[in-house]
Amino acid sequence: MNNVTERMLAFIDGSPTCFHVIDNLKKELTSKGYKELKENEEWKLEPGRFFVTRNDSSIISFRIPKKEFKGFYMIASHSDSPSFKIKENPEMEEVSAYIRLNIEKYGGMLCAPWFDRPLSVAGRLIVRDKKDGFESKLVNVDRNLLMIPSLAIHMNRDANSTAKYNPQVDCLPLFGDISAKGKFFDVVAKAAGVKKEDILSHDLFLYNRVKPTFWGANNEYIASSRLDDQECVYATFEGFLEAKETENTVLHCVFDNEEVGSGTKQGADSTFLKDTLLRINEGIGRTNQQYFTAVANSFMVSADNAHAVHPNYKDKADPVNRPKMNGGIVIKYNANQKYTTDAVSAAKFKLVCEKAKVPYQTFTNRADVPGGSTLGNISAAQVSVDTVDIGLAQLAMHSPYESAGSRDCEYLAEASRTFFES
Ligand code: CO
């Protein structure tokens, strides 16, 4: 594979859940000589390359150039995407013929595109180990396992005019016929290479089995699950790895739980980033005064995908600031500061794009549409630094098969590298 977009799509294909995102980043970091630090051990640091994880679903990777570094240059994105989570005791027998699985929504997804396509299950299992303790095991049942079949149009003549989805009624996936009874955790245990009786607990999610693809008259588009936000995770990560050393400590941060408000121990609203910055400062033998000086010299790029103007719904976009796919990096603005961008942080980021020779464009919501929020302002409440909110333009956000431009990922990788080098 020769371009960053292809590598990004392969990364997403291999990362069906937030736990796989972190595991895949860890593998890449370890192969490049980054040393893993544990939060429950003391940090005695020298200049070098490190990473630390929390809950196996958030990660902060960083490089310290020298003890007298100037500031923290950071890019943040999120590891999670909306999905259906498998509930406890998930199997439900129906009409003596079917086994369905009981699920609930994680995040605010579009429900309709989850129907009538092959799905499977991935996530983590907590299993007993040999010493009366437990360990975490990643699992991905790598085959077509589940389906959420639609109700036929003949039984719901209004289906095309009044679509409504009740997750407890409409969205339960079919797992098998009656012979599948009691087998769900056999399938999961086998895929994880563990014994079913050793499974103590689980965080399992549905995922779409349809592979990422290029499409369009000139292959100008891509489609994949989880472009929000793994496209940003991957593009900024390549930029991070390739950037040359400067006077700043550079950090690549990926937080879990953005889709449910970030308010968890590993989310952007946790102390994870703040704790890590403080421990870097202290671990390398600097004073508190030096810490606050460094924070004042710092900058954060919050990278989370943005809405492209939709050809069928042009009126939903702002009349002027309407991002286009392949139009470059989207800088997001909001007067009420749901996006952190202000005149200063926007100017800094525009200079980065100019230096990187990549295009940028702007997004604002219509003034009568509240819009979404993202990581930047939440993280800024914990670590208050100059921040810009950006993303890549996409359609069908929070569908299990989203579309974006095939060139934008490369722009973001290049801008990220340039940012980390500035
Ligand atoms: Co997002």
Side-chain angles (χ1 to χ4, degrees), residues 78 228-229 258-259 304:
H78 65 90
D228 172 17
D229 191 27
E258 192 277 340
E259 300 294 356
D304 193 1

Side-chain angles (χ1 to χ4, degrees), residues 237-287:
F237 186 63
E238 279 212 357
F240 169 79
L241 292 178
E242 283 163 20
K244 288 192 209 74
E245 201 163 279
T246 66
E247 294 205 297
N248 297 304
T249 289
V250 293
L251 300 96
H252 184 263
C253 316
V254 183
F255 297 112
D256 191 9
N257 301 125
E258 192 277 340
E259 300 294 356
V260 293
S262 297
T264 58
K265 66 185 184 299
Q266 63 275 358
D269 200 15
S270 73
T271 58
F272 186 31
L273 178 60
K274 190 178 177 181
D275 295 349
T276 302
L277 297 183
L278 281 165
R279 296 184 75 170
I280 291 172
N281 190 72
E282 209 199 325
I284 203 153
R286 291 160 53 113
T287 65

Side-chain angles (χ1 to χ4, degrees), residues 101 118-121 141 143-147 174-176 184 187-188 209:
L101 298 181
L119 308 172
S120 194
V121 168
V141 181
R143 68 182 179 88
N144 299 339
L145 185 70
L146 306 168
M147 190 85 69
L174 180 56
F175 168 56
F184 177 66
V187 171
V188 171
R209 293 283 299 166

Side-chain angles (χ1 to χ4, degrees), residues 99-113:
I99 304 299
R100 295 191 299 169
L101 298 181
N102 198 7
I103 49 84
E104 59 187 320
K105 287 165 92 172
Y106 173 84
M109 81 277 279
L110 287 167
C111 290

Side-chain angles (χ1 to χ4, degrees), residues 78 80 228-229 258-259 303-305 332 373-374 397-398:
H78 65 90
D80 61 324
D228 172 17
D229 191 27
E258 192 277 340
E259 300 294 356
D304 193 1
N305 269 1
K332 307 178 192 176
S373 121
T374 178
M397 191 179 282
H398 291 191

Side-chain angles (χ1 to χ4, degrees), residues 21-38:
V21 169
I22 302 313
D23 190 59
N24 286 326
L25 293 178
K26 273 175 74 168
K27 282 180 188 148
E28 187 70 21
L29 290 160
T30 306
S31 79
K32 296 214 153 37
Y34 285 73
K35 181 173 176 269
E36 178 164 13
L37 299 169
K38 300 280 188 189

